[in-house]
């Protein structure tokens, strides 16, 4: 089960990763770069550093990564048109990272209710 990521709005594939002769691994992303000029940014959430580097190598977009592991935040939102004029910063964290639980005001009031 591989996921195909089409890059650009063209009708002809001009580059791809992995290459035709390379091995394809289970759950590996396949990137197809088209001859289109408009590149719509994907949601990099959950992408590995290797996936992001593969995307960067095909698009030559100015991408910077902050951290190691998997993507969780990006400076330009998914769906934005990337024209190469603005650096895209993708923040990564460890794959085993657990989001801290933030106590809300409502949670605090529930705990203070006398029995």
């Amino acid at each position: 089960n591989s996921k195909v990521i089409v890059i650009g709005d063209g009708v002809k594939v001009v580059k791809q990763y992995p290459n035709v002769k390379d091995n394809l691994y289970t759950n590996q992303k396949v990137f197809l770069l088209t001859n289109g000029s408009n590149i719509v940014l994907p949601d990099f959430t959950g992408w590995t550093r290797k996936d992001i580097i593969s995307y960067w190598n095909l698009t030559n977009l100015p991408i910077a990564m902050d951290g190691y592991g998997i993507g969780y935040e990006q400076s330009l939102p998914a769906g934005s048109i990337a024209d190469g004029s603005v650096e895209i910063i993708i923040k990564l964290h460890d794959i085993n990272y657990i989001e801290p639980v933030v106590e809300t005001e409502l949670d605090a009031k529930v705990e203070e209710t006398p029995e």
Side-chain angles (χ1 to χ4, degrees):
N1 273 348
S2 297
K3 183 173 182 184
V4 176
I5 310 292
V6 177
I7 304 168
D9 59 354
V11 294
K12 182 179 177 186
V13 174
V14 293
K15 274 183 169 177
Q16 75 177 57
Y17 179 83
N19 292 315
V20 175
K21 295 180 181 179
D22 291 345
N23 289 329
L24 184 62
Y25 301 100
T26 303
N27 296 323
Q28 181 177 4
K29 287 180 178 56
V30 175
F31 298 95
L32 303 176
L33 179 66
T34 70
N35 60 347
S37 57
N38 290 320
I39 296 177
V40 178
L41 284 182
D43 181 355
F44 291 106
T45 302
W47 284 36
T48 64
R49 188 175 183 85
K50 182 180 178 184
D51 290 338
I52 296 167
I53 290 170
S54 298
Y55 183 90
W56 170 70
N57 282 331
L58 281 174
T59 62
N60 291 317
L61 289 172
I63 294 176
M65 289 178 277
D66 180 8
Y68 294 90
I70 59 170
Y72 73 92
E73 187 177 306
Q74 60 197 69
S75 60
L76 288 177
S80 299
I81 301 290
D83 62 6
S85 65
V86 178
E87 183 177 57
I88 304 151
I89 301 167
I90 303 169
K91 293 185 179 181
L92 300 104
H93 59 63
D94 185 273
I95 196 163
N96 296 317
Y97 177 80
I98 298 173
E99 191 77 32
V101 177
V102 177
E103 186 177 283
T104 65
E105 204 174 299
L106 181 59
D107 291 337
K109 287 181 182 177
V110 170
E111 290 176 9
E112 295 173 6
T113 307
E115 294 182 20

